[in-house]
Structures are given as structure tokens and as C-alpha cells.
Amino acid sequence: MENIIEVSDLTIGYSAAAPLMENLNFSVHKGEIFCILGGSGCGKSTLLKHLIGLYKPLHGDIKIQGKSIVNATDTERRLMMEKFGVTYQGGALFGSMTVGENVALPLEEHTDYPPEKIRQTVMEKLALVGMEKFYDYYPAELSGGMCKRAGLARALALDPELLFFDEPSAGLDPITSAELDRLILDMRDRLGTTVVVVSHELDSIFAISDRVMMLDKSIRSIAAIGDVEELRRNSENEWVKTFLSRSGLKRK
């Protein structure tokens, strides 16, 4: 399968003397939903920040569509980052801006669209996530799930080939979380977008993932990569089986 992300010999952290993760080697296939999971403090979100070019690794390389985001110039990195969308915990919307203004922001910064084209595009993205009626609402007027939907609409503004989610289900009730899972699957199926999800919510991981990568802070490396149900049943690593068996869900 075609790889859209290739990570080689990656070491991450804030100090070479005490790295969070070492010698990470993995790839993400085009069009798949790839979930990164592990215990608290293992470095999941830190790894995500490396993948999107916000942090520079202690060692190793990350290639996006064959180009190194680690060794890229500032201009090259900025152009690469325009090709993917990112959603953060809580939606990370600007509270002083309406939903429509939040979604319009990437378009205003990275395109030369006239105002009417920007508004049209914003409405299209909001319609994708079922939020078109909330264009003029402020984040404080929305529920947590609605804020996450609006954040997803903003991440989709530039038609990215890659979507990164940081704990998309955190803080949501089970029904809203399941709705967001269905939305993520729908985005992948309709748009062909590659999705990378950082999460510790096993219910969501069993529902949406094509493959998972498990990080183990005790060994500061990858404990397992593969189909989550296969790993739960047949992994030779007892920690992996125990971790995944805390969810009784099975993929349908």
C-alpha cells in the first residue's frame, strides 16, 4: 500500500538524556485511519506534534508524501503543513470569533479567495459536519461535541489530504462520542482523507481504526502495530492484550 507518512529511527522528547520515545519506525498508509494509543504520559500527543512539524525530533526523520518535514526549510514546512488539517482537544476555537469566522481563518490566511467564495466554502465545510445552521454562533454558545465538529470543519477548510486528531472523544458523553466516530469514518470514506488519531478511548479505537500503534513508556518504544482486534486476541505481548482487553467492544 502507498505510504503517506514514513517515520524512521525517530527519537522524541525534551532532553536527549531522557527521551520519551526512541527508535520509532512506522508508516501510515494512504486512506487509512491510523490510531496511536498508549498509557498516560507515554508521548502520544508529543509524537503528534512532531508529525505535524511543530516539534523537531532529537533524532530521526519524518517524511510526508516522500518529503522530510524535519529537514525542510521554514517555507517548505509551511507549504507541507497546508496540506493537512489538525483538530485539537476541545476544538481549540477562538472564543472571540464566530463559528464561521473560525472556519474562514485558514482560507483567509492561505488563499486569495474573495469574501463570497470564502463564505461559500465555509458553509460547505460546516454542512459536511452538520453545523451549517451555527455559522453566526460563538463557541461559548455551543456544546462540547458541537465545538469539536466546528473544529473539524476548520481542519477541512483547505481540503487536506491528511487529518490529525488529538483526543477527539475526550470529555464527550458516549452518544456524542459515537456520533463523532461516525463522522470521522464518513470523512475518510467520502473524501478519501488519511486520518491519524491520538486517543486513549478504546471504544472509539475499536470503532474506527484500520490499524493501531501502541506506545509503551516502560520500553520507550512501540509495543505493537496492527489490527486492534487481532492484537487484542493474539498479541504475544501480555501488556498489549491486557490494555486492549479493557474494552469489550469488537469491530463490526
Side-chain angles (χ1 to χ4, degrees):
M1 298 181 69
E2 181 181 351
N3 293 331
I4 196 167
I5 300 175
E6 295 177 295
V7 175
S8 55
D9 298 324
L10 190 72
T11 297
I12 63 172
Y14 307 100
S15 166
L20 286 172
M21 286 283 144
E22 300 179 285
N23 304 317
L24 303 182
N25 291 276
F26 66 93
S27 59
V28 177
H29 305 323
K30 186 173 182 178
E32 77 171 340
I33 298 178
F34 185 84
C35 294
I36 302 171
L37 63 155
S40 299
C42 71
K44 300 186 298 294
S45 293
T46 301
L47 175 58
L48 180 72
K49 291 180 174 68
H50 282 79
L51 294 178
I52 64 177
L54 293 181
Y55 290 173
K56 193 173 182 66
L58 298 171
H59 179 74
D61 198 13
I62 300 165
K63 290 183 178 179
I64 309 290
Q65 295 180 312
K67 298 180 180 180
S68 173
I69 198 169
V70 174
N71 300 313
T73 65
D74 290 343
T75 299
E76 291 170 338
R77 186 177 297 107
R78 185 166 58 253
L79 291 173
M80 293 174 72
M81 293 171 72
E82 288 179 15
K83 294 183 179 180
F84 48 75
V86 183
T87 67
Y88 300 96
Q89 294 185 40
L93 301 175
F94 293 101
S96 61
M97 302 169 68
T98 66
V99 166
E101 290 169 339
N102 268 281
V103 179
L105 195 58
L107 297 163
E108 293 170 346
E109 290 187 350
H110 300 294
T111 74
D112 56 1
Y113 290 171
E116 60 271 20
K117 174 64 173 177
I118 289 178
R119 183 178 177 87
Q120 176 188 351
T121 302
V122 170
M123 290 301 293
E124 289 172 355
K125 303 310 178 187
L126 287 173
L128 280 175
V129 300
M131 290 286 293
E132 64 271 28
K133 295 180 180 179
F134 297 91
Y135 185 98
D136 293 315
Y137 282 61
Y138 286 89
E141 300 174 295
L142 305 178
S143 68
M146 293 166 74
C147 283
K148 296 209 175 195
R149 284 176 174 265
L152 176 55
R154 183 177 61 189
L156 292 169
L158 296 174
D159 296 320
E161 298 174 51
L162 263 167
L163 269 177
F164 294 91
F165 288 87
D166 188 8
E167 299 285 2
S169 300
L172 300 182
D173 64 81
I175 293 176
T176 304
S177 178
E179 290 174 349
L180 185 59
D181 290 342
R182 285 192 291 271
L183 183 58
I184 292 171
L185 286 166
D186 188 49
M187 293 298 100
R188 189 276 305 274
D189 294 341
R190 273 204 281 173
L191 305 177
T193 309
T194 304
V195 182
V196 177
V197 180
V198 166
S199 181
H200 66 275
E201 301 285 346
L202 287 179
D203 289 357
S204 291
I205 289 163
F206 272 83
I208 68 173
S209 68
D210 291 305
R211 288 190 304 143
V212 301
M213 178 175 71
M214 298 189 63
L215 302 179
D216 183 353
K217 63 182 179 181
S218 70
I219 61 173
R220 294 191 295 196
S221 192
I222 299 169
I225 298 179
D227 176 87
V228 66
E229 183 62 30
E230 177 67 19
L231 291 176
R232 185 184 73 83
R233 290 180 176 180
N234 300 317
S235 175
E236 296 180 359
N237 185 316
E238 286 302 316
W239 176 81
V240 169
K241 292 179 71 173
T242 300
F243 191 104
L244 295 177
S245 294
R246 291 183 63 83
S247 172
L249 292 183
K250 298 180 180 179
R251 188 170 3 188
K252 297 180 180 179

